[in-house]
């Protein structure tokens, strides 16, 4: 879409012009958007509005079509501040924070459970006014419910969970009326960071209480447009051949872990660990292979003296250090990657994934993990990849408070966890190579 200043746009529909004027009066930046059918084709389509709402250090871009205009015309949006990367905002005029709740286990079973204080919403409640396109036949409108809990000593401070979500939230974020929303009233701050912290702290504590007492699990819903970093992708070349009947047999457990990782959506840390478990499955095997090779090299040396107790002691230490309880996991991973992925394959991978190669060489992107640099002569590319995979694994797994000496732990809701796209591609490639190397000829039908 092509943006332009809405103040200079004479083709804007009257109903959108009214909303643009209100936004300008509130000090908000307003743009007109038009669709381009193709970069070389003239602008086509009816213009839409984009209002840039404050959202801390950035702006939240909200689009409004002509169809949306009646809903926005009846909504007071002049004092909204969007909060973080959530579908949530603070209304500074009323001192209310509203937020959408995401789909989670059992949370949406609230309406079917007899929770003390859960009551039907009155028919004339403003939040039951449908917006454009919402069907009154929805269960959310036929059986609207609300649970409101007030602070015992702070007057006006309360938290409410309801279905459908507050109408203003459905207008601002186009939330589905079948989902749930949360509202916190009595908010005295007008600052973004303080309101965001209040939303996170109060809602998190309340959701924990609901889970412990009633088995209900809720979470705040993220804005899908900012949930993940928008980054250029490296497309893998697909085979042009007909699929063949499988001729390789893979270990069922390891292959199941890989397929499980492939089914995960919007869970990058869990997906990463699932791929890592594929590598971990074969670590004892390839650590032992590496130990046998080291022992073989020692025994082949014509200078080896089997009567020298010191030399034999070193051989014993070398062999026993390859056991799973004594060898470090980093060393076992390195042995696995070294055995299953050759340097030329990694060079070809990075050449075929230029965006990923650049990202994984950027020290400002994800901190405290090994960078990949094929020109680095201090370590082979295989060692660099192995170290990077292990460093990331440690930052994900070692999530205890205070850190683990590798920098802050990666959290599912943190900035860096949104930047794992290229590392997920890399560890998936390595897991594929490990599966292939570890496979055997199929014997079914024989």
């Amino acid at each position: 879409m092509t943006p332009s200043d809405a103040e200079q746009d004479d083709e804007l529909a009257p109903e959108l012009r009214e909303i643009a004027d209100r936004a300008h009066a509130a000090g908000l930046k307003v743009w007109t958007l038009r669709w381009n059918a193709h970069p070389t084709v003239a602008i086509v389509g009816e213009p839409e509005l984009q209002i840039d709402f404050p959202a801390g250090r950035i702006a939240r871009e909200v689009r409004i079509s002509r169809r949306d205009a009646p809903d926005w015309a009846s909504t007071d949006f002049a004092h909204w501040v969007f909060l973080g990367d959530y579908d949530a905002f603070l209304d500074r005029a009323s001192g209310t924070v509203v937020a959408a709740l995401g789909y989670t286990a059992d949370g949406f079973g609230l309406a079917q459970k007899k929770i003390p204080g859960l009551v039907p919403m009155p028919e004339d409640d403003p939040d039951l006014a449908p917006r454009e396109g919402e069907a009154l036949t929805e269960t959310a409108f036929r059986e609207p419910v609300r649970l409101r809990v007030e602070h015992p000593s702070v007057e006006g401070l309360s938290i409410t969970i309801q279905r459908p979500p507050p109408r203003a939230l459905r207008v601002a974020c186009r939330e589905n009326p079948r989902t749930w929303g949360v509202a916190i009233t009595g908010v005295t701050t007008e600052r973004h960071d303080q309101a965001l912290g209040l939303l996170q702290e109060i809602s998190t504590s309340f959701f924990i209480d609901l889970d412990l007492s009633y088995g209900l699990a809720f979470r705040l819903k993220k804005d899908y447009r900012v949930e993940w970093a928008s980054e250029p992708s490296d497309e893998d070349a697909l085979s042009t051949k007909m699929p063949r009947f499988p001729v390789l047999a893979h270990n069922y457990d390891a292959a199941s872990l890989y397929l499980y990782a492939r089914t995960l959506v919007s869970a990058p840390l869990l997906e990463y660990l699932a791929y890592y478990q594929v590598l971990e499955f074969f670590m004892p095997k390839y650590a032992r292979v590496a130990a046998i090779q080291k022992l073989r090299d020692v025994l082949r040396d014509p200078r080896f003296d089997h009567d020298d107790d010191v030399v034999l002691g070193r051989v014993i230490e070398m062999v026993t250090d390859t056991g799973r309880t004594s060898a470090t996991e980093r060393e076992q991973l390195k042995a696995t990657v070294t055995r299953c992925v050759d340097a030329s394959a990694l060079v070809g991978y990075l050449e075929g994934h230029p965006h990923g190669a650049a990202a994984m060489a950027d020290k400002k992107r994800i901190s405290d993990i090994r960078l990949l640099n094929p020109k680095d002569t201090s370590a082979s590319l295989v060692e660099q990849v192995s170290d990077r995979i292990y460093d990331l694994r440690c930052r994900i797994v070692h999530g205890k408070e205070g850190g683990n000496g590798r920098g802050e732990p990666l959290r599912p809701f943190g900035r860096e966890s949104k930047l794992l796209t290229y590392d997920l591609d890399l560890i998936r490639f390595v897991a594929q190579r490990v599966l292939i190397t570890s496979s055997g000829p199929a014997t079914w039908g024989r």
Side-chain angles (χ1 to χ4, degrees), residues 213-227:
S213 300
Y214 310 106
L216 301 172
F218 285 106
R219 67 174 176 84
L220 297 174
K221 179 175 176 290
K222 298 289 187 78
D223 177 7
Y224 73 93
R225 294 169 300 174
V226 294
E227 173 91 49

Side-chain angles (χ1 to χ4, degrees), residues 159-403:
I159 183 169
T160 300
I161 291 180
Q162 66 178 62
R163 186 187 69 180
R167 187 178 189 278
L169 187 66
R170 304 198 318 269
V171 171
C173 303
R174 296 177 177 172
E175 294 300 330
N176 192 307
R178 292 192 296 270
T179 61
W180 292 76
V182 62
I184 301 174
T185 62
V187 177
T188 57
T189 183
E190 295 189 357
R191 301 182 62 179
H192 169 274
D193 290 356
Q194 292 180 352
L196 174 60
L198 197 66
L199 169 64
Q200 292 173 323
E201 293 169 10
I202 293 180
S203 65
T204 298
S205 296
F206 188 53
F207 296 158
I208 293 293
D209 287 351
L210 287 177
D211 187 32
L212 294 176
S213 300
Y214 310 106
L216 301 172
F218 285 106
R219 67 174 176 84
L220 297 174
K221 179 175 176 290
K222 298 289 187 78
D223 177 7
Y224 73 93
R225 294 169 300 174
V226 294
E227 173 91 49
W228 310 109
S230 178
E231 300 182 299
S233 60
D234 293 313
E235 297 295 334
D236 291 318
L238 302 180
S239 175
T240 58
K241 299 179 180 179
M242 264 294 280
R244 67 180 185 183
F245 195 89
V247 296
L248 295 178
H250 298 284
N251 179 280
Y252 176 78
D253 292 333
S256 296
L257 285 169
Y258 175 83
L259 294 175
Y260 169 69
R262 291 293 283 153
T263 63
L264 293 172
V265 178
S266 302
L269 303 189
L270 189 59
E271 182 181 354
Y272 194 91
L273 291 179
Y275 287 129
Y276 186 86
Q277 285 185 299
V278 176
L279 312 184
E280 190 176 37
F281 185 90
F282 293 105
M283 283 183 193
K285 171 183 177 179
Y286 291 115
R288 186 173 183 274
V289 169
I292 291 174
Q293 184 60 49
K294 288 170 63 177
L295 179 60
R296 181 178 290 115
D297 292 341
V298 170
L299 297 179
R300 282 176 174 173
D301 191 331
R303 296 167 295 179
F304 175 73
D305 185 358
H306 63 270
D307 292 322
D308 189 328
D309 290 346
V310 174
V311 172
L312 290 176
R314 291 173 181 168
V315 170
I316 292 173
E317 289 179 0
M318 179 186 68
V319 174
T320 56
D321 280 348
T322 60
R324 183 162 180 82
T325 58
S326 53
T328 68
E329 188 165 335
R330 183 185 292 271
E331 291 170 348
Q332 292 188 59
L333 175 62
K334 188 172 298 183
T336 302
V337 177
T338 300
R339 177 64 181 83
C340 299
V341 189
D342 58 70
S344 61
L346 288 175
V347 170
Y349 175 86
L350 293 179
E351 290 176 348
H353 296 76
H355 297 300
M360 290 184 285
D362 184 358
K363 64 181 180 180
K364 296 181 180 179
R365 182 177 173 86
I366 303 177
S367 62
D368 299 296
I369 62 172
R370 181 68 180 258
L371 301 180
L372 299 188
N373 180 6
K375 297 181 180 180
D376 184 358
T377 58
S378 65
S380 69
L381 187 56
V382 172
E383 291 176 310
Q384 294 178 47
V385 167
S386 175
D387 283 341
R388 185 178 181 91
I389 289 174
Y390 186 75
D391 288 346
L392 261 177
R393 172 262 179 200
C394 287
R395 287 204 57 198
I396 295 171
V397 172
H398 296 167
K400 57 189 176 184
E401 187 174 3

Side-chain angles (χ1 to χ4, degrees), residues 151-164:
H151 192 284
S153 59
V154 180
E155 185 177 356
L157 183 59
S158 71
I159 183 169
T160 300
I161 291 180
Q162 66 178 62
R163 186 187 69 180

